[in-house]
Amino acid sequence: INLSKINKSYGTEIVLKNIDITIQKGEKVAFVGDNEIATTTLFQILMGEMEPDEGTFKWGVTTKTAYFPKDNTEYFDGCTDSLIEWLRPYAKEGEQYDSDIRGWLGRMLFSGEEALKSANVLSGGEKVRCMFSRMMLFQSNCLVLDRPTNHLDLESITAVNNGLRDFKGNVLFASHDHEIVQTVANRIIEINEHGCFDKLGTYEEYIDWRKAQNIGTFTL
C-alpha cells in the first residue's frame, strides 16, 4: 500500500499529519504512539470507513485485506442470530453449509452447543474469537488489526501471537502487548504530532534508536 500526505483532524485536533508511507510485500508493521485515536483513524481510512481530509492511498492490485476493528459493537448489538447464522454471510458460495461454518467456529473453540449461542449475549473475549473466525473466511494476504488482544486471556493472546508471527502475508497492527509487537513486527511506525517516525527492525531496536536520538518516551 502507498499512502501520500494523509491528513485528518477532529475539529481543532490534528490526529494525522502528512502521513507518507509505502509498505512492501511481506512487511509486518506495528503502529505505535501515544495517541491511540490516530492509529484507529488511520486504519478506518485504509479500510474505507472514513475519508481523509487530504491525501490519497492505494492498495496493491493483488492485496486482499481482512480487518479487525478496535470496536466490534456494530457486528453484535441487537443480533439474535446463532453464531452459525452470524458467520454464514461471510462464507464463500459453496462453503455455507452448517458443517463448514461449524468447522470455522470450532477453530476458535466454539464447538457443539457453543455454536448455537446468540451473537448478542457473547462476552468480550467470545466476540473477539468470532471476529477472528470471520477474518479467516476471507483468506486474505493482508491483515489490519486494531488492538486484537483486548479481552483475551493469556492462552488466547499467545495463540494470536503465534498465528501473526507465522502468517505469510502482511500485517498492519496496533497492540498494547509488548511481546506481540516485539515478536511479530519487522517494522515500526510511530504516529505523532509531526507526522511519523518509521524504522525497519524490531520494537526494541526502535526503542534503542529513539533513545539514541534523545526523542523522549511513549507507551504502547
Side-chain angles (χ1 to χ4, degrees):
I1 186 171
N2 182 52
L3 295 81
S4 177
K5 309 235 178 296
I6 298 288
N7 291 280
K8 184 68 180 179
S9 299
Y10 296 114
T12 58
E13 181 185 1
I14 299 172
V15 292
L16 299 173
K17 183 177 180 180
N18 291 328
I19 303 298
D20 264 313
I21 299 169
T22 298
I23 296 172
Q24 306 289 348
K25 182 178 179 179
E27 291 186 334
K28 297 183 178 182
V29 186
F31 288 82
V32 301
D34 285 328
N35 189 352
E36 195 171 304
I37 295 173
T39 301
T40 296
T41 298
L42 180 62
F43 288 170
Q44 288 176 325
I45 289 172
L46 297 184
M47 300 311 299
E49 294 187 351
M50 182 183 297
E51 293 289 330
D53 295 334
E54 296 176 297
T56 60
F57 66 92
K58 185 177 182 180
W59 291 98
V61 293
T62 61
T63 304
K64 186 176 182 182
T65 60
Y67 179 40
F68 183 100
K70 180 182 175 185
D71 182 2
N72 58 37
T73 304
E74 65 178 280
Y75 293 90
F76 299 97
D77 272 13
C79 180
T80 57
D81 290 343
S82 70
L83 297 190
I84 293 174
E85 293 306 318
W86 179 88
L87 191 60
R88 198 189 307 276
Y90 304 112
K92 290 182 179 180
E93 188 174 348
E95 297 180 1
Q96 297 176 328
Y97 300 105
D98 282 10
S99 57
D100 297 318
I101 302 301
R102 281 183 174 275
W104 290 107
L105 289 169
R107 287 174 170 84
M108 289 292 111
L109 306 182
F110 293 106
S111 58
E113 294 298 311
E114 290 283 304
L116 300 177
K117 277 187 174 182
S118 293
N120 63 347
V121 301
L122 301 179
S123 68
E126 287 173 328
K127 289 178 181 177
V128 169
R129 284 155 47 203
C130 278
M131 292 299 288
F132 278 126
S133 292
R134 173 182 173 272
M135 289 183 75
M136 287 192 295
L137 285 172
F138 297 147
Q139 298 182 1
S140 303
N141 57 15
C142 180
L143 308 181
V144 182
L145 306 108
D146 194 358
R147 321 286 167 180
T149 58
N150 289 358
H151 307 294
L152 293 182
D153 58 27
L154 183 58
E155 184 178 5
S156 299
I157 291 173
T158 300
V160 171
N161 193 347
N162 293 339
L164 294 180
R165 188 189 61 210
D166 296 340
F167 183 66
K168 302 304 181 185
N170 284 78
V171 183
L172 283 58
F173 73 104
S175 176
H176 295 297
D177 190 285
H178 178 277
E179 183 70 14
I180 287 180
V181 176
Q182 172 62 23
T183 59
V184 173
N186 55 26
R187 179 177 175 184
I188 308 296
I189 296 177
E190 178 188 345
I191 298 176
N192 54 54
E193 65 272 20
H194 306 294
C196 63
F197 300 137
D198 184 352
K199 300 291 289 183
L200 292 173
T202 67
Y203 176 67
E204 290 178 4
E205 288 171 342
Y206 177 73
I207 293 300
D208 290 342
W209 172 84
R210 218 175 181 282
K211 288 178 180 176
Q213 304 299 312
N214 293 315
I215 294 173
T217 61
F218 74 96
T219 57
L220 282 176

